[in-house]
Amino acid sequence: MRALIFTSTLFLMVFHSVVAMAEVEEVQATIDKNPVMVDEAIRLTITANGSANRDAFDSSALLKDFVVGRTSVNSQTSIVNFDTKRTTTWVTTLFPRKEGSYTIPSFTIEGKQTQPITVKVIPVQQSDKVARDYFVTTDIDLQEAYLNQQLLYTVKLHLASNIERGSLQSPEMPNADIRQLGDDAQYTDIINGRRYQIIERKFAIVPQASGEFTIRGPIFTGEVAAPNTNQRFGFFNRTQQVNRVGPDITIQVNPIPKNIDYPWLPSEMVRLDEEWPQGETFTVGEPITRVVTLTAIGVVEEQLPDIPEFYPPNFKLYPDQSSTTTVEKDNALIAQRMSSLALIPTQAGNIVLPEVTIPWFNTVTEKTEYATLPARTVSVSPAAPSVAGQPSQSAPLPSSALDNPTSQAPEKPDSFDTDNKPASDISSTPSYLTWLFAVLWVLTAMGWAITYRKRRSLSTSSSASLVSTGKNSLSEADAFKQLKQTIRTKNSQDISAALQQWLKLLYSDAKGIISPSQFTETQGIQQPYNDLLSARFGKSSTQWDDKAFVQAIEVARKKVKESQRAGPQSLAPLYPSV
């Protein structure tokens, strides 16, 4: 009986405790400081007496006026004389972004509500009377910039005393590429008569969209030794958390100017460099490696345009895959694109390599400028005859062996002496050997000439392979019309391609690259075409008459049509001049 009474009593006490724990009796909200400076953080504490769900607190209502940091939850249960008490505490960090008066709204936890709190945010005070142990400053080099233009953002963390540990976040800005530049710089300085240790960090901010944007200042979170005069043992020092936020900065990002008709590249400096073999005399068939490097300051590698590669048809081109990189130097981003190209000359003569030009926008002068590699004239010499085609140097005997009767005969018998005569008999009849070697020399010379003729033919066919031999879907009339339209643009590269396309349709039986001087009807085009190349690639600046070019192709087309009506066209010369 006594056991039954004890069990019932214990059950009722536990049930009463569980019911008590299930109810939230009171909810209270407090902050650690009021008023608060604009760069300081507010610690908001919500305490619920009773059993509450750990997810009952929702901080989304604070996002309107504050930047809400991480929220921590702590639950504590205590039993004294069978009286159970449970407390749930939420602690979150709030960062005000502007000066003024703000209200922390009431929160509902398990049916109980907190009282709203009015917070006054005051500006940062630089007076000597205010003890500023820790604070963050921000600075930017330009308040107004162009799209994709690099901005230099500087953050300084000021520490009047040592900290146990800490972290400094990066600034935040929508639609921007933000990168830290180099390592942190540490030094000391005296501000308002107080000595500070300063940690300086720099960032490169490249805006990716135009408009007005706010750069959110970085947040510093650290732990410092908490002052406690009642502690007797120094190795039990407690720490307290310190939060500071850097001031926001508003910038204006301007769009690309309307008059820009080239790939947008805003920078303070853009240059082109090349690596070229020593000397400017080369040989047909021998490769030449040319490396062109594009360098731009204040941009990332994704913004660099391709390097134009336009060369005359006297070369075979073997481009290598270009490489890009972005490095940090002198508080700036430096982007580079390196393009490597192997050139093999196919024809001898003086050849003009065209000028390489890349337009860019100077953010200092706000004008379009050009990075240029000037045109270069190279001299290409014919290929040397192959060793197999040269006359044999070991076939003829030395003249001393023919003239001196006392010279020793070779150890091996002469292959031409079928009667195995003594050496004295051979030397006495030299006329047979002389005629024999004369005939061999003539045959060798003929072989050399045939080999040279074949090499020259192969060189010409190699040069002709630069132009595509595929069929063109355009008619001759359409190609002629397109050529006239292209001439109006005065773009030599497009004109050369359009002219070659029209000539191939005009002379469908011709192979390889067609020169206007190759046929009688189109010889009048050659001089205006040469004037075009001279005006584009020559060292002296000359004016090109596009009207004369149009007139020349119209006359040539009329002659071709008349020739086609009269009969089959004449064959091309054996050695056309290119």
Side-chain angles (χ1 to χ4, degrees), residues 178-307:
I178 302 177
R179 305 188 185 190
Q180 182 177 343
L181 297 176
D183 299 327
D184 295 342
Q186 298 188 23
Y187 54 92
T188 58
D189 195 3
I190 297 177
I191 302 175
N192 293 332
R194 193 165 189 181
R195 185 182 184 89
Y196 288 93
Q197 179 185 3
I198 299 177
I199 300 176
E200 182 178 301
R201 183 175 297 177
K202 294 182 181 294
F203 295 88
I205 299 179
V206 181
Q208 306 294 328
S210 58
E212 185 177 276
F213 297 96
T214 298
I215 304 175
R216 297 296 187 184
I219 297 174
F220 168 71
T221 302
E223 292 185 6
V224 299
N228 192 342
T229 58
N230 296 327
Q231 285 189 335
R232 300 179 180 179
F233 305 100
F235 51 86
F236 286 116
N237 286 340
R238 300 179 60 186
T239 61
Q240 67 179 12
Q241 192 176 40
V242 175
N243 297 285
R244 295 291 184 270
V245 60
D248 296 342
I249 297 178
T250 302
I251 63 171
Q252 177 67 36
V253 180
N254 297 326
I256 301 175
K258 295 182 179 179
N259 60 344
I260 301 299
D261 56 355
Y262 52 84
W264 177 243
L265 185 61
S267 176
E268 296 181 7
M269 190 278 292
V270 177
R271 60 178 295 173
L272 280 171
D273 299 283
E274 68 172 340
E275 296 179 15
W276 187 262
Q278 295 294 330
E280 296 188 353
T281 302
F282 306 98
T283 306
V284 171
E286 295 184 0
I288 311 165
T289 301
R290 188 186 194 189
V291 180
V292 180
T293 304
L294 171 64
T295 305
I297 295 179
V299 297
V300 293
E301 57 194 86
E302 292 80 6
Q303 298 175 235
L304 295 178
D306 293 331
I307 300 175

Side-chain angles (χ1 to χ4, degrees), residues 34-100:
N34 193 7
V36 62
M37 283 187 255
V38 72
D39 68 335
E40 294 179 336
I42 305 170
R43 183 174 298 176
L44 173 65
T45 303
I46 307 293
T47 304
N49 295 326
S51 179
N53 191 340
R54 295 174 64 90
D55 298 329
F57 173 67
D58 183 10
S59 62
S60 59
L62 298 167
L63 296 176
K64 180 181 177 182
D65 299 322
F66 302 93
V67 175
V68 181
R70 181 170 166 268
T71 301
S72 61
V73 185
N74 181 32
S75 298
Q76 184 177 1
T77 303
S78 62
I79 301 177
V80 179
N81 296 328
F82 297 102
D83 186 11
T84 303
K85 292 184 179 181
R86 184 172 181 178
T87 303
T88 304
T89 305
W90 294 269
V91 178
T92 187
T93 304
L94 308 179
F95 297 92
R97 287 296 186 178
K98 296 181 180 179
E99 304 169 10

